[in-house]
Every structure is written in structure tokens, then in C-alpha cells.
Amino acid sequence: MPDGHACAAAGGECVPVLEIVNVTKRFGGFLAVNDVSLTVNRQQIAAVIGPNGAGKSTFFNLITGYLQPTAGHIRLNGHDITGVAPHKISSYGMGRSFQRTNIFPKLTVFDNIQAAFLVHRGRGGNFWSRADRFYRDETEALLRQIGLLDQADTVGGTLSYGNQKQLELGLALASDPTLLLLDEPTAGMSANETHDAIRLLERIAGERELTLLFTEHDMEVVFSIAQKIAVLHQGRKIAEGTPAEVRADPEVRRIYLGHH
Amino acid sequence: MSRSLFDRIPWVLVIFIIALGIPWLGSKYYTFLATQIAILSLFAVSYNLLLGSAGLVSFGHAAYFGLGSYACGLLMKELGVPFLIALAAGGLMAAAFAAGFGFFCVRLTKIYFSMLTLAFAQIVWAICFQWNELTGGDQGISPIPYPGLNWLSSVPGLDGFRVGDYFYFVALAVVALCIAALHRISVSPFGRMLMTIRENPERASFIGVNVRAYELAAFIVAGGFAGIAGALFGIFNRGVFADFLYWPKSAEVLIMTILGGMNYFWGPVVGTGMLVVLNQQITAYTEYWPLVLGTILLVLLFAFPGGLLGALHAGWTRLRSGGRGVRPGA
Ligand SMILES: Nc1ncnc2c1ncn2[C@@H]1O[C@H](COP(=O)(O)OP(=O)(O)O)[C@@H](O)[C@H]1O
Ligand SMILES: [Mg+2]
């Protein structure tokens, strides 16, 4: 297996996991995403940045099947997933989190994660056994990994904001994805929470050999972990490259980094 | 934490045994009430698989209740089909229609889903009301023969009961088996999937739940058990009428479920008992019973937004914590 970091750095033997080809999304007359292409390779950590309203969430919703692109194609591990239903895309190895936290608020933390295991491992149609017997060890292991084991019996909706984000990450991880898409994983977090969340993400991505694509508004976060960055502005991709390349790009500096 | 004595009592078994003993009271009226409560409980518990588990608000559940009663009633009356076979056929008929209608209903969400369930139910009602040759139109089908249950009188200890009592024993057994099955389903992985859909259908689909497929499956199962309840009710009522699938019947099952507590598996049973008894009591005292019943229901629903079981549960928790109130934010 090629080393993801070396691959990203050397641009050598890269296996593309996610290929987005000339994707466009039009809302009425408004182009929210305009002819954007992007390739993410195996075990790469890639980020999409851009100011508010740039089209990042829309771009994510296109990739995960939540929205249909007006034009263009999306391939996951070589399969065309354009227009495929979200529950199928999930079974092809893509997990996602949402910008606005999206959990099962009245289920306990344990039941949230266990439900994700049940469906991913094909037990969802079993209507004659007790649900609480399944995947207890797997659920506990995952809760330990995301740091929520001591809150296992807490009702999801009553967790702190940061913990809910962790739980959402857990939901995405339970389907054992090879590709993880995170929309603003640190949105609304304090500086400390952000730092912890990013360290957690980095550790999990390493342990699970994940390919990671995330959006962020916080530059520090992006430059600290991303190997590849694409910059969206008003729906268009205006730059792409390593953190150093993006940082040096004159248009990016003018539009985005000028504020810093 | 050790379980208290109260928790250790198998309440469901206790209540089942009490229910089983009702014919020994020797009152025709009590057996009549108990039969009605048992059968409608199954109707309401089947409904709560949609409302409580999956968060689907159907306004047309009576359609499946009524279809089950027509299928079973016609088979028994016109073709002399044995009771158990006709009963199963009633359930299957209802499930088949639920599959056909549900296919379209689950393509819609929220209030649009509800309106489509109502529309299908009204269509079925209109057909049953008009189709004189098959359904007897507004005259309905009656009398429906009681199943041959005389063999029960040869069971030691069961001799000398009225035929209504024997039917009650059989109905209670069928209802108990069906509710036990629905309970298993509700705590199964399938039931857990329905809960994720109720909580957050969007998130459910992104962890891989095929939301429509699960909703349809729940719709079919709920419809099938409603059909069995309807089949029993037709025999109990000695006749099947178009009223069984008219919209007030759908409203009734919704009210029973919410009244008892849709967040509790046994809520619909409690709500059914409450509504049937209230109905009987008030009808006996005043001709304005719909008005009085409506007022009582309004008060109950406002006073106990979590249903009667919700109120009991909260009260019990408070009692046990020594009057210190329910743990805040628990
Ligand atoms: N469903 C929608 N209908 C119409 N406009 C939308 C819709 N979703 C997003 N937009 C618009 O598309 C633009 C990009 O939004 P979004 O993708 O959320 O940006 P970002 O995540 O980068 O902040 C915004 O101007 C937003 O108002
Ligand atoms: Mg966004």
C-alpha cells in the first residue's frame, strides 16, 4: 500500500479515492457550485476552504448524494456515484458529518453508535432478536476511540456541543468508511475544543488509514493538518495545491488571506 | 443499582392473568368491555409501530382494520372458511393493501404522508360503502357466525361459559400473541432502525438506512396486525360495516395511542382501556356524550402531554426520588 503522505508530497503512485469532475450546482439562476473538479487520493488529508457562502456545504452535499448535481460526475473508488441515493453511497465506504450537528437526539450515545453498526453490518432487517445484544464490543471500542465512553448512557441531545460533534464523527466512523467527509468539523467550537477535535481527527485518520476531505473556515486548522487544499470562491475553484502553494497564491491572498 | 420489588413484578403477566379471569366475574357486560378493549388494544399497538417507533402519522389506519374485518367476515359468512384461516386471511389482505398503498405513501413526508394515507383510506371506504354485491354497501355484512368454539367447554375448568366468553378467551389469546410479536419487533434491530428514522430521517439515510424501505416494511406490518384486529372485531361485533374504515375510526386509534402515551410500548393499551371505558360510562349518562368525551380528552391531553403512562412514569420517578423532583436535564 502506498504511503499517503509520500504520495501526496511526491505526487507519485497515487490511488484516487474520490474524483469530482466538472461538477455544477444551480439553484434557480444562482450557481452555488460552478464547474469544480477535485481529486482526493488514498489516505490523503484534503481540505476545501473559502469564505462563508462560497459553496462548500453545497459541494459536500453533491458528493454525498444529498443533492443532485446539475452537471458533472462524481466517482468513488472508480464507481460512478452521481445521483446515487445516500444510503447506498454510505455502503460504498463514504461516511460524512454535517455542518449543523446531526445525531439521533433522543437515543443514548451508545444507541446512536450501535444503530449505525446495526445498519452497516446488514442487521437492520432483523426483526426477531433483541437489538441491544448486538455489537456491544464494537460500539464500546468506537466510543473509546472518539472519547465518549464515559458518556455512553447519556442521551445524545443533552451532550455539550463539542461532544455532539464527536458523536457525529462516531456515527460516520461506525460504517467503517475509507473516505470521511467532514463539513466544518470545528464549527462553533472554542479554541481548546478545536485543538482537541483536530488532534482526535488526525489520530483517527492515521489509525484507520482514512482518506479525509473536510471544509473549514479556520485557517490555522487547515494549514496544520491538510496536505492538499482547494479554495472555493463564489462557487468556483480559484486555487488548489499544498498549503504552501495555496498560501502563496496571489488571488487567494487577495480574497481570503488578506484579512489575516 | 438493585431493582426494587415493584420493578421485579412481571406486570404484563399479572395484567394478562387478570384479563384472563374476567369471564369468572360472570358478567356479560364486563366480558363485552374486555373483549372490546383487547381487540382495540391490538389495533392501537399496531398503530404505534408507525407513530411511536417510526414517527409516521397515519390518518388512515382504519383502512387496514376494516379490510381485515371485511376479508375475514366474508370468508366466514359466505364461504364457511374456518375461523383461524379467515383470521389469517384478514391480516394478509390488510398487509397486501398496506403494501400497495404504502408504496406511494412513503414517497411523501410529514403532513403529505398523512394526507395520502387518509386519501387511500377514504377511497377504500367509498368502495366498501358503494359495492353492494360484495360488501353489502351501507347495510354491511351480518350476521357473522361465531367460530365453532364449543370444544373449549370440554377443557377442564372452562365448562359452562357463554359463547361470548369463549370468543373472549380466543380473542385474548390472539391479541396476546400479536402484541408479543409487535413487542419483539419494536425492540429488534428493525425497531431500532425505525427509531433512527423517527429521530432524524436525514441522518438515518447517511448511516446507510434505506428510509423508504424501512417505512414501507413498518407500514405493512402495522397494516397486517390492524387487519387481524379488524377481523376479530367483525366477529365480536357480529357484523362488518363501512364505519370500520371510515376516518373517525382512524382518528380514534390516533387518540387512544396519544392518550395512553405513544412513547411507551404499553401506552396504546392504556389509552384504549381509558377510551373504551369513558365511552361506555358517558354514553350511559348523557346523550351529549361526544361533547363530554371531547372535553375530557382535551383536558387529559393538555394535562398529560406524554400520555397517561408518561404522567404515571413521571409521578413514579418523583415518588422514588423522595419528592425531590425529577432529575433536571436527565
Ligand atoms: N438549497 C438551496 N437553495 C438555494 N440556494 C442555496 C441552497 N443551498 C445553498 N444555497 C446558496 O448557495 C451558496 C453557497 O452556500 P453553502 O454551500 O452553504 O456555502 P458555504 O458552506 O461555503 O458557506 C449560498 O449563497 C447559499 O445561500
Ligand atoms: Mg457551509
Side-chain angles (χ1 to χ4, degrees):
Chain A
M1 186 180 290
D3 177 358
H5 295 241
C7 159
E13 273 197 283
C14 293
V15 185
V17 170
L18 180 67
E19 297 162 274
I20 300 145
V21 187
N22 301 115
V23 162
T24 293
K25 180 65 186 181
R26 189 185 282 279
F27 292 117
F30 176 72
L31 279 166
V33 173
N34 188 356
D35 199 25
V36 174
S37 298
L38 181 68
T39 299
V40 184
N41 294 319
R42 185 185 291 164
Q43 282 184 252
Q44 200 168 36
I45 298 186
V48 177
I49 63 170
N52 245 333
K56 304 181 297 291
S57 291
T58 306
F59 186 57
F60 264 44
N61 287 334
L62 293 170
I63 300 169
T64 54
Y66 187 65
L67 291 172
Q68 306 287 316
T70 312
H73 285 278
I74 299 150
R75 277 193 288 273
L76 176 62
N77 294 320
H79 304 285
D80 193 332
I81 57 163
T82 323
V84 172
H87 72 266
K88 288 212 184 105
I89 294 185
S90 146
S91 71
Y92 297 158
M94 182 194 292
R96 80 163 290 185
S97 75
F98 292 76
Q99 178 168 354
R100 286 181 49 198
T101 316
N102 216 336
I103 57 171
F104 304 114
K106 286 194 196 141
L107 304 190
T108 64
V109 167
F110 189 91
D111 288 352
N112 263 270
I113 298 295
Q114 195 204 23
F117 275 115
L118 284 169
V119 60
H120 182 68
R121 310 245 168 131
R123 299 279 181 168
N126 177 335
F127 58 88
W128 210 243
S129 313
R130 290 195 64 95
D132 47 18
R133 297 224 181 103
F134 290 96
Y135 308 122
R136 299 200 70 88
D137 296 343
E138 289 87 339
T139 302
E140 276 183 19
L142 180 51
L143 285 176
R144 190 172 296 119
Q145 191 173 39
I146 58 173
L148 282 181
L149 189 56
D150 52 340
Q151 312 243 47
D153 295 327
T154 311
V155 173
T158 64
L159 290 174
S160 75
Y161 182 80
N163 284 347
Q164 289 196 22
K165 284 254 160 195
Q166 275 165 270
L167 178 55
E168 212 195 333
L169 176 65
L171 285 177
L173 289 173
S175 66
D176 219 354
T178 50
L179 171 66
L180 196 56
L181 274 81
L182 306 172
D183 196 1
E184 307 237 4
T186 68
M189 287 188 184
S190 68
N192 275 338
E193 282 178 323
T194 300
H195 180 266
D196 292 347
I198 290 304
R199 293 285 88 84
L200 178 70
L201 264 182
E202 235 175 354
R203 179 165 62 77
I204 289 174
E207 283 170 8
R208 294 177 165 248
E209 304 185 345
L210 289 173
T211 308
L212 201 62
L213 177 63
F214 67 105
T215 70
E216 250 311 330
H217 59 281
D218 186 325
M219 288 305 109
E220 300 235 3
V221 168
V222 175
F223 288 113
S224 72
I225 70 166
Q227 296 148 3
K228 176 181 194 168
I229 299 173
V231 186
L232 285 190
H233 182 62
Q234 296 179 351
R236 300 193 72 94
K237 186 176 79 177
I238 59 166
E240 181 186 332
T242 62
E245 286 164 356
V246 166
R247 219 195 282 265
D249 187 285
E251 201 176 356
V252 175
R253 293 189 77 86
R254 189 174 57 76
I255 293 171
Y256 206 132
L257 302 176
H259 306 295
H260 287 250
Chain B
M1 210 170 72
S2 74
R3 300 196 314 156
S4 72
L5 181 65
F6 185 88
D7 286 333
R8 258 183 264 185
I9 297 174
W11 285 109
V12 173
L13 194 65
V14 168
I15 288 172
F16 176 75
I17 288 170
I18 292 174
L20 201 62
I22 283 176
W24 274 274
L25 296 176
S27 154
K28 218 173 168 173
Y29 178 66
Y30 285 146
T31 299
F32 168 83
L33 271 190
T35 316
Q36 199 176 348
I37 291 173
I39 296 174
L40 293 181
S41 287
L42 173 58
F43 184 31
V45 172
S46 79
Y47 182 70
N48 207 33
L49 186 68
L50 297 177
L51 184 68
S53 294
L56 291 168
V57 186
S58 167
F59 288 158
H61 204 50
Y64 311 103
F65 180 84
L67 282 162
S69 62
Y70 272 110
C72 177
L74 280 171
L75 287 174
M76 286 179 70
K77 179 164 188 284
E78 306 297 335
L79 301 176
V81 172
F83 164 67
L84 279 181
I85 295 174
L87 181 74
L92 288 176
M93 176 88 160
F97 272 85
F101 296 158
F103 177 83
F104 296 99
C105 294
V106 301
R107 257 136 251 274
L108 303 180
T109 55
K110 304 203 172 98
I111 190 72
Y112 304 101
F113 167 87
S114 308
M115 294 318 286
L116 194 58
T117 57
L118 176 61
F120 278 123
Q122 290 300 88
I123 291 170
V124 174
W125 170 78
I127 291 171
C128 289
F129 194 70
Q130 303 284 338
W131 195 352
N132 283 316
E133 300 81 56
L134 185 70
T135 64
D138 57 353
Q139 298 298 305
I141 309 164
S142 81
I144 298 196
Y146 261 132
L149 297 175
N150 281 334
W151 56 271
L152 271 173
S153 62
S154 57
V155 175
L158 285 188
D159 53 320
F161 282 108
R162 300 179 193 90
V163 65
D165 291 323
Y166 289 129
F167 181 67
Y168 171 69
F169 287 130
V170 171
L172 190 65
V174 172
V175 166
L177 285 175
C178 290
I179 289 184
L182 279 161
H183 185 261
R184 263 197 102 124
I185 292 172
S186 78
V187 299
S188 72
F190 174 77
R192 192 61 66 77
M193 296 300 104
L194 297 183
M195 281 165 72
T196 68
I197 293 173
R198 175 194 75 203
E199 288 293 297
N200 190 341
E202 179 184 82
R203 210 353 160 176
S205 72
F206 281 102
I207 61 169
V209 179
N210 185 346
V211 173
R212 278 179 188 169
Y214 279 95
E215 287 180 342
L216 180 58
F219 204 77
I220 295 170
V221 172
F225 281 107
I228 292 178
L232 290 173
F233 197 82
I235 300 168
F236 163 67
N237 195 51
R238 312 307 316 279
V240 176
F241 304 97
D243 278 3
F244 286 14
L245 27 69
Y246 202 33
W247 66 264
K249 199 85 189 156
S250 295
E252 186 182 282
V253 75
L254 174 67
I255 291 170
M256 293 189 302
T257 305
I258 294 179
L259 183 65
M262 62 182 233
N263 296 326
Y264 300 87
F265 181 82
W266 298 103
V269 176
V270 173
T272 303
M274 186 81 185
L275 195 72
V276 168
V277 170
L278 268 181
N279 223 334
Q280 289 294 332
Q281 294 301 314
I282 299 166
T283 324
Y285 288 115
T286 162
E287 60 181 297
Y288 301 112
W289 62 272
L291 182 71
V292 176
L293 183 64
T295 313
I296 293 179
L297 287 180
L298 266 184
V299 171
L300 286 175
L301 291 176
F302 269 105
F304 310 124
L308 294 169
L309 271 192
L312 278 178
H313 188 201
W316 175 244
T317 314
R318 204 168 303 136
L319 251 183
R320 257 216 292 217
S321 61
R324 275 174 280 116
V326 184
R327 209 151 34 105

